Amino acid sequence: MRSRVTLVLAVVAVLLGGGLLVPAAYARLAGDDAASGGSGGGSVAAPAPTPPPPPTLAAGPVSVNFKGEFFSWALMDRETGEISGAKNMTSTSSTESMIKSWFAADYLRQLGDKPVPAERKKQISAAIRNSDDDAANALYSAVGRAETIKRMTSICELTDTKPGNVPGYVGWWSFTRMSPRDAVRLGDCIGDGTAAGPKWTNYLLDEMSKVKGTTAAKDQKARSGGGRWGIIDGLPQSILSQGPVSIKNGWTPLNYDGNWHVNCLAVTDKWSLAVMLRYPQKSGLDYGAQTCASVASQLVTPQPGAALKVPQQPVGKL
């Protein structure tokens, strides 16, 4: 009798224990399912989309309703060295004041580790920030006049650049012939330190980022002028906020052909862009400035306001 009672009690204990174990195990399984985000089916959440790279300038189509004698542009990707641009990007036009950036670079590179004399420092700043012709002429003489053009062509590996040959203006630095392709090479040559040397490159790029003045008549003088316009006006804040944009424009209304000669050069650590134009003087300086800005804005990648495409991820089951 005692053994039968003991057996009955053992069976009851097993049944009760099983009843307690089953709910506990179920609770653990349910908890695991909830932690996985499922509601019984074990669904896997789609991964968050990877943020796009910051905006930049990249090769792409450019359409400008240009009315004039010459329009061309080129863009260098400074990370790859690849140059894209208009079909005529190897054709040349006069550099005008755009070449002043080279005179400063050539002087600074030859200076090496020595300090810049106060007078030369003023000339560099005036030639770059205010596009002052007298300061540029002083630098041009200091670096050997025509010899500096030869060095620029050699050091920066320019292939389309030639001395000016306009009758009556032979030897004038402003009439040096340069293509947009060579202009972006010049920008890259300044940006990578080849032109000005390791000690002075950041100094020169900083000067070029502080160019002053607009196209307004009040900013345009007989021997100097405001040059902060063009490419920089076509860049969105999302690019401007990434760091300084170094620029040097060139612009002159010339009597010998009745055209404005307008050039825009801008360089950052990622790209170098040049736009070169010749068009009737009646169109005004603003026409050239706006054309340069239009080219830059069309090359912004991705375009402002472009929708971010989020890749669709399949939802898996456990």
Side-chain angles (χ1 to χ4, degrees):
M1 182 65 181
R2 181 175 299 173
S3 60
R4 186 178 301 172
V5 170
T6 300
L7 177 61
V8 170
L9 290 175
V11 171
V12 170
V14 169
L15 290 175
L16 287 175
L20 292 173
L21 286 172
V22 171
Y26 178 78
R28 285 196 299 271
L29 289 173
D32 290 345
D33 187 54
S36 69
S39 57
S43 300
V44 178
T50 302
T56 188
L57 298 191
V62 169
S63 177
V64 175
N65 184 23
F66 181 75
K67 296 179 181 179
E69 182 180 289
F70 181 78
F71 165 74
S72 188
W73 64 274
L75 173 70
M76 175 187 282
D77 180 332
R78 295 195 57 219
E79 295 180 354
T80 66
E82 183 176 351
I83 299 176
S84 57
K87 291 181 179 179
N88 63 341
M89 68 176 175
T90 63
S91 299
T92 64
S93 192
S94 62
T95 59
E96 306 307 326
S97 294
M98 182 174 67
I99 202 172
K100 292 172 182 175
S101 57
W102 167 257
F103 301 156
D106 197 21
Y107 175 82
L108 291 167
R109 187 191 67 262
Q110 295 182 65
L111 192 65
D113 291 333
K114 293 180 289 187
V116 182
E119 186 61 24
R120 289 290 185 223
K121 201 166 190 177
K122 289 180 182 177
Q123 291 168 352
I124 290 171
S125 185
I128 299 298
R129 297 191 192 192
N130 304 317
S131 204
D132 187 282
D133 289 338
D134 295 328
N137 283 334
L139 291 171
Y140 181 59
S141 295
V143 292
R145 302 180 66 81
E147 291 303 313
T148 190
I149 306 300
K150 295 178 182 178
R151 281 194 299 274
M152 176 181 69
T153 301
S154 174
I155 291 173
C156 296
E157 301 182 356
L158 310 184
T159 57
D160 310 317
T161 300
K162 303 176 180 66
N165 58 359
V166 178
Y169 301 95
V170 175
W172 286 37
W173 51 259
S174 57
F175 288 100
T176 303
R177 308 287 299 184
M178 184 178 289
S179 67
R181 180 172 68 174
D182 272 0
V184 298
R185 287 169 173 163
L186 174 60
D188 180 58
C189 188
I190 293 172
D192 70 9
T194 301
K199 181 175 177 62
W200 298 110
T201 292
N202 289 338
Y203 164 70
L204 179 56
L205 290 172
D206 183 61
E207 286 293 318
M208 292 172 66
S209 74
K210 294 176 179 176
V211 170
K212 302 176 181 178
T214 69
T215 59
K218 66 180 180 62
D219 290 339
Q220 300 299 319
K221 313 298 182 184
R223 304 290 295 169
S224 63
R228 192 172 187 81
W229 42 262
I231 290 171
I232 199 163
D233 292 332
L235 302 177
Q237 186 59 37
S238 56
I239 288 182
L240 296 174
S241 63
Q242 293 177 33
V245 179
S246 301
I247 67 174
K248 186 66 195 84
N249 296 331
W251 64 103
T252 309
L254 294 174
N255 293 328
Y256 80 87
D257 66 356
N259 285 323
W260 270 103
H261 289 221
V262 174
N263 308 305
C264 301
L265 174 65
V267 60
T268 71
D269 59 351
K270 294 181 179 178
W271 49 262
S272 176
L273 173 64
V275 184
M276 302 183 72
L277 316 166
R278 295 193 303 271
Y279 58 87
Q281 290 183 25
K282 64 181 181 181
S283 298
L285 179 55
D286 280 335
Y287 182 73
Q290 291 164 6
T291 302
C292 289
S294 176
V295 172
S297 66
Q298 293 180 61
L299 294 173
V300 174
T301 304
Q303 282 287 301
L308 173 63
K309 294 184 178 179
V310 180
Q312 299 298 314
Q313 299 288 345
V315 178
K317 297 287 185 178
L318 287 177

